[in-house]
Amino acid sequence: MVSGPSSRDMNGRKLPTAVKIVIAGGFGVGKTTMVGTVSETQPLRTEEILTDESIGVDDISGVERKDTTTVAMDFGRITMRDEYVLYLFGTPGQERFWFMWDEVTLGALGAVVLADTRRLADCFPSVDYFERRGTPFIVAVNCFEGARRYDLEEIEMALNLGPKVPVMLCDARSLESCKKVLIKMVLHAMKSRGLSPENAAPQSSGV
């Protein structure tokens, strides 16, 4: 979540407030790509090569060209207007790694659930997880090349989302697109927690 009141360095300058954000979603949806796209530092990745041992365990239909998988988490960081530092934690997508989600999401302000319209059902577990925990989240539809395009209203209905859960399109390879997603998530999470979005999060032009 958001840290306490910002402290100051030895020169009296105000230090940025730390904010933890979780990037979740199904296998191969683009979580590692999004974290790597926005991170201003070298992102931490815990990827392993997919081998024959994963046959029958990991469903790669629709993402046949994917040859690696996250086995622990992805981690990155981005500073917003020198006032906020967003620490991004990407969760592993496969079911056999779900036991790690509680640790990865502990203390998060909110979450971004990435979705792929080719495998929309893969994001159901993430949606259910954050709904049960009462964690504010938004759904960002990663627009893969060649994937069929749907109206946001159709996606909302397919996921059975409540009216207060924002849904938006994105491109996990685009820095500007990912920034918009993160800003939308922060503002939504602040509002959901009764905080002041106007004072607590920067505008998109200043990221």
Side-chain angles (χ1 to χ4, degrees), residues 1-10 12-20 40 77-87 190 199-200 202:
M1 196 173 175
V2 179
S3 65
S6 296
S7 57
R8 297 182 181 275
D9 63 16
M10 296 179 62
R13 292 174 298 189
K14 184 179 179 181
L15 297 176
T17 300
V19 180
K20 181 178 181 180
E40 62 195 13
R77 184 188 74 190
I78 181 173
T79 302
M80 304 175 75
R81 284 181 57 188
D82 297 325
E83 297 178 24
Y84 295 86
V85 176
L86 306 187
Y87 292 96
M190 292 290 185
N199 298 326

Side-chain angles (χ1 to χ4, degrees), residues 7-196:
S7 57
R8 297 182 181 275
D9 63 16
M10 296 179 62
N11 297 318
R13 292 174 298 189
K14 184 179 179 181
L15 297 176
T17 300
V19 180
K20 181 178 181 180
I21 296 174
V22 174
I23 311 296
F27 175 64
V29 77
K31 300 181 295 295
T32 298
T33 299
M34 174 173 277
V35 173
T37 295
V38 302
S39 182
E40 62 195 13
T41 60
Q42 182 66 31
L44 169 65
R45 293 172 175 167
T46 56
E47 290 190 311
E48 295 293 341
I49 301 295
L50 287 171
T51 67
D52 291 343
E53 296 297 326
S54 68
I55 295 176
V57 178
D58 295 324
D59 178 13
I60 62 172
S61 58
V63 288
E64 289 82 1
R65 291 185 295 178
K66 184 173 176 61
D67 57 6
T68 61
T69 181
T70 298
V71 296
M73 68 175 183
D74 298 309
F75 174 77
R77 184 188 74 190
I78 181 173
T79 302
M80 304 175 75
R81 284 181 57 188
D82 297 325
E83 297 178 24
Y84 295 86
V85 176
L86 306 187
Y87 292 96
L88 311 177
F89 291 79
T91 63
Q94 302 97 308
E95 184 175 356
R96 66 182 187 274
F97 295 127
W98 287 355
F99 69 92
M100 302 178 61
W101 284 16
D102 286 347
E103 292 297 326
V104 175
T105 60
L106 183 64
L109 173 70
V112 174
V113 175
L114 279 178
D116 179 354
T117 57
R118 300 170 301 177
R119 299 157 56 99
L120 195 59
D122 286 6
C123 73
F124 287 170
S126 298
V127 170
D128 291 341
Y129 178 82
F130 294 119
E131 285 182 339
R132 290 197 309 269
R133 289 176 62 94
T135 301
F137 70 95
I138 70 169
V139 173
V141 181
N142 195 7
C143 298
F144 288 90
E145 294 181 6
R148 180 179 174 183
R149 298 294 190 263
Y150 294 88
D151 293 334
L152 293 180
E153 291 77 11
E154 295 179 282
I155 297 172
E156 291 173 359
M157 291 181 61
L159 294 177
N160 194 27
L161 298 172
K164 295 183 179 181
V165 178
V167 180
M168 62 189 300
L169 303 178
C170 76
D171 182 347
R173 303 165 301 177
S174 166
L175 177 59
E176 290 304 316
S177 180
C178 291
K179 286 178 180 178
K180 291 177 181 178
V181 170
L182 294 175
I183 290 168
K184 183 74 172 179
M185 197 292 305
V186 171
L187 293 175
H188 171 66
M190 292 290 185
K191 183 177 180 181
S192 298
R193 295 183 183 280
L195 303 175
S196 174

